[in-house]
């Protein structure tokens, strides 16, 4: 049964009945988590890892994550909100909805006395607990609703609805037919589809929407609209004027309006309360004397000063005397200029600062508010948040000016400390980044130099061994000649490794120059070169047409030479060798692939695939240095993309890669 708004409200989060206590494991697949939310009729859950809370998941966040990744492969711990707003059983309801608005979320994580996650409080439960007085300062639905209803025709698809919801960051779209609303589609409806693993892209919206949506007129009260939503167990209402759709009202609209209006209302109330306080104190003084009034003012930790219409001081408290350096002085009937002459010299300027804003306050009937930085007796400074509220007689003439100042020094200093820390962190990060860049540059230069300098001794080894074999072959035994042959082969392999290292170093240091590149033409050129170099082989090479990308053409040729070259090499034992280079769309991004039907490899070794010098086959089986895929990996990463492989022994290999945006 849905909850109902009460006239006798709860006051804290701990008073809210039936909070959400569902807990799900972080290693649970996201698709399974959606099913769990629906099965338990819960709008959210606490995500746990080894008996420790790591975040929360909600219908809305889970649905968004499913739209951005495969829900069957994405784990719950990867999609959850790791930093939700946190409340306690003693948290006041007003502070709770301020937390929701400040974080832009729709759930609060409740901690117990030990600081452990105990339950979730949803936006719906919070609205259920708020009493009528919380809604009293709101006007009608028309002043709170989202005035622009996002609509789609009944012929639209779920794909179009999702696009509009994500583009405008809204929770629902209205479905129209013949200009009249016939249904709504919300994140809750989307969650149900995703939990069933339905292919949602082309489903007609009319077949999955919630039909006959409830509506209220713009003149309805927010209180009655909130009750209607709670009774129907929904989170959105259509708003009409003269039977015409003019907007949508959501629970979040109400919470946001409560916070926005509460801030404005609070500022008005602060000034009004000061006036009421003075009026109460005047009544007390009339009934019980001026001494009772003075005790009330003196009890306040805030600075309180009451001045007459001419700016002469009538009443102040100990906090005011200390701030203005008037402790022990007779201040009654004196204005700030006169008082500054008898105040402590170090604090006299505080009085003149206070006097400077008097006229502005008289010109602001709703109250004048400002923050002042004032010196203290010990030479330090304090920050005060002042409110000056003018009080007028019935004929509009000035009666008194009430000044209330609250010390906010700790808050200001904390903000300055955070700002200083942020600045320091930015400087340290920049310095460390420069140091890292310099170190990387030195490493690249060292790698290039070492690789280059190794060529000379290798040439000597290869050359002298060749000379010995040519000129002294008759003097050497067959075993010695065999040893020399292996020396030459080793030197040649080493030279090949050095060449590959130099290529890798050049690819790292070469500037990235993106431009429109015809990948189909590049791949065709590479395939033709391979066929000319090895005309005896019969390989069927299939290249998709008209593939273009914004990339560095030189580096991209290196990528395709390595990938297509590997496919050519590892299909050599296959009688009907085939190679295919193509592309496909994956998550709004173009993914390219090179696939073959060669010998393949065990994916258990895939973590070593892109490391330099890693080989899955012996040199006797297939030639190579193990540098090629490391080069491909670095070039793809430099383009902002990623590369992955799919393979199995005897079943061929496919490499997928993207090039960023």
């Amino acid at each position: 049964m849905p909850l109902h708004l009460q006239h006798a409200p709860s006051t804290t989060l701990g008073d809210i009945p039936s909070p959400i206590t569902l807990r799900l494991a972080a290693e649970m697949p996201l698709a399974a988590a959606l099913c769990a939310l629906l099965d338990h009729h819960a709008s959210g859950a606490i995500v746990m890892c080894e008996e420790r809370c790591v975040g929360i998941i909600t219908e809305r966040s889970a649905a968004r994550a499913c739209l951005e990744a495969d829900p069957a492969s994405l784990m719950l711990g990867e999609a959850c909100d790791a930093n939700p707003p946190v409340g306690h059983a003693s948290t006041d309801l007003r502070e709770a909805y301020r937390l929701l608005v400040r974080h832009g979320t729709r759930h609060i994580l409740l901690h117990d006395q030990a600081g452990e996650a105990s339950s979730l409080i949803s936006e719906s439960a919070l609205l259920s607990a708020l009493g009528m007085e919380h809604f009293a300062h709101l006007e009608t639905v028309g002043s709170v609703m989202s005035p622009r209803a996002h609509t789609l025709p009944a012929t639209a698809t779920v794909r179009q609805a999702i696009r509009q919801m994500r583009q405008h960051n809204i929770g629902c779209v209205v479905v129209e037919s013949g200009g009249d609303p016939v249904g709504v589609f919300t994140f809750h409806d989307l969650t149900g589809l995703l939990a069933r693993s339905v292919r949602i892209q082309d489903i007609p919206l009319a077949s999955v929407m919630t039909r006959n949506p409830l509506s209220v007129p713009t003149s309805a009260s927010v209180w009655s609209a909130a009750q209607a939503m709670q009774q129907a167990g929904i989170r959105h209402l259509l708003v009409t004027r003269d039977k015409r759709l003019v907007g949508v009202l959501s629970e979040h609209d109400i919470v946001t309006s409560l916070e926005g209006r509460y801030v404005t209302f609070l500022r008005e109330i602060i000034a009004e309360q000061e006036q009421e306080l003075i009026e109460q104190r005047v009544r007390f003084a009339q009934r019980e004397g001026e001494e009772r009034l003075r005790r009330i003012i003196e009890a306040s930790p805030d600075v309180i000063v009451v001045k007459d219409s001419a700016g002469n001081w009538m009443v102040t408290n100990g906090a005011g005397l200390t701030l203005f350096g008037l402790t022990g002085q007779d201040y009654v009937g004196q204005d700030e200029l006169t008082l500054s002459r008898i105040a402590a010299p170090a604090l006299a300027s505080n009085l003149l600062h206070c006097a400077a804003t008097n006229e502005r306050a008289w010109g602001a009937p709703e109250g004048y508010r400002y923050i002042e930085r004032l010196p203290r007796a010990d030479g330090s400074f304090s920050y005060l948040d002042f409110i000056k509220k003018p009080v007028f007689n019935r004929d509009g003439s000035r009666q008194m000016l009430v000044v209330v100042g609250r010390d906010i020094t700790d808050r200001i200093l904390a903000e300055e400390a955070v700002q200083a820390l942020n600045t320091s962190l930015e400087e340290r990060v920049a310095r460390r980044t420069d140091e890292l860049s310099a170190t990387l540059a030195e490493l690249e230069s060292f790698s290039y130099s070492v690789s280059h300098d190794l060529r000379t001794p290798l040439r000597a080894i290869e050359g002298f061994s060749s000379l010995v074999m040519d000129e002294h072959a008759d003097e050497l035994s067959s075993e010695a000649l065999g040893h020399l042959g292996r020396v030459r082969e080793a030197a040649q392999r080493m030279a090949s490794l050095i060449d590959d290292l130099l290529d890798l170093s050049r690819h790292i240091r070469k500037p990235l120059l993106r431009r429109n590149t015809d990948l189909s033409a590049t791949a065709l050129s590479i395939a033709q070169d391979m066929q000319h170099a090895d005309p005896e082989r019969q390989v069927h090479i299939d290249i998709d047409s008209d593939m273009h990308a914004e990339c560095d053409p030189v580096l991209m040729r290196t990528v395709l030479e390595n990938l297509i070259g590997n496919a050519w090499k590892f299909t050599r034992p296959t009688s009907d060798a085939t190679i295919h280079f193509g592309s496909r769309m994956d998550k709004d991004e173009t993914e390219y692939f090179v696939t073959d039907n060669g010998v393949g490899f065990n994916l258990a070794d895939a973590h070593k695939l892109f490391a330099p010098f890693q080989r899955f086959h012996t040199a006797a089986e297939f030639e190579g240095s193990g540098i090629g895929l490391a080069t491909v990996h670095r070039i793809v990463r430099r383009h902002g993309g990623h590369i992955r492989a799919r393979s199995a022994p005897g079943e061929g290999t496919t490499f997928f890669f993207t090039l960023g945006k």
Side-chain angles (χ1 to χ4, degrees), residues 13 16 85 91-101 108 121 126 255:
L13 291 180
I16 295 179
T91 300
D92 182 77
L93 295 184
R94 286 183 172 178
E95 178 59 25
Y97 70 70
R98 292 179 68 187
L99 281 173
L100 285 181
V101 174
I108 295 176
I121 301 296
L126 182 61
V255 170

Side-chain angles (χ1 to χ4, degrees), residues 394-470:
R394 292 184 178 180
D395 60 2
S397 60
R398 298 178 179 182
Q399 183 183 102
M400 65 182 72
L401 186 64
V402 180
V403 181
V404 179
R406 173 158 295 180
D407 192 324
I408 57 170
T409 305
D410 290 344
R411 191 192 81 190
I412 296 296
L413 293 180
E415 292 174 354
E416 291 177 351
V418 170
Q419 181 62 38
L421 179 59
N422 287 340
T423 302
S424 173
L425 287 174
E426 290 173 0
E427 292 174 352
R428 288 162 58 189
V429 168
R431 185 168 62 253
R432 294 290 174 84
T433 301
D434 292 341
E435 292 172 357
L436 180 60
S437 298
T439 302
L440 289 175
E442 291 175 4
L443 287 173
E444 291 173 7
S445 177
F446 175 76
S447 174
Y448 183 81
S449 298
V450 169
S451 301
H452 190 272
D453 292 344
L454 284 175
R455 287 175 173 272
T456 300
L458 278 176
R459 288 196 204 98
I461 293 171
E462 202 278 334
F464 282 115
S465 61
S466 177
L467 186 63
V468 170
M469 291 182 69
D470 292 342

Side-chain angles (χ1 to χ4, degrees), residues 558-588:
T558 300
V559 169
L560 295 179
E561 283 177 343
N562 277 283
L563 294 180
I564 297 176
N566 277 355
W568 181 276
K569 177 169 58 177
F570 292 113
T571 55
R572 191 175 294 128
T574 306
S575 58
D576 56 343
T578 60
I579 301 172
H580 180 199
F581 172 46
S583 65
R584 65 180 188 176
M585 292 301 297
D586 181 53
K587 304 171 188 173
D588 299 328

Side-chain angles (χ1 to χ4, degrees), residues 153-157 175 203-211:
T155 56
T157 63
V175 184
I203 295 177
L205 197 54
S207 66
V208 294
M209 68 182 183
T210 300
R211 298 180 178 276

Side-chain angles (χ1 to χ4, degrees), residues 348-361:
S349 61
N350 292 355
L351 288 159
L352 301 179
H353 280 290
C354 183
T357 55
N358 284 348
E359 286 304 314
R360 294 182 190 175

Side-chain angles (χ1 to χ4, degrees), residues 9 96 160 223 360 373-374 388 446 493 501 513 547 575 605 650:
Q160 293 171 294
W223 165 259
R360 294 182 190 175
R373 178 176 179 265
L374 299 173
K388 289 189 174 183
F446 175 76
R493 287 198 300 273
L501 282 173
L513 302 175
M547 288 186 291
S575 58
D605 299 322

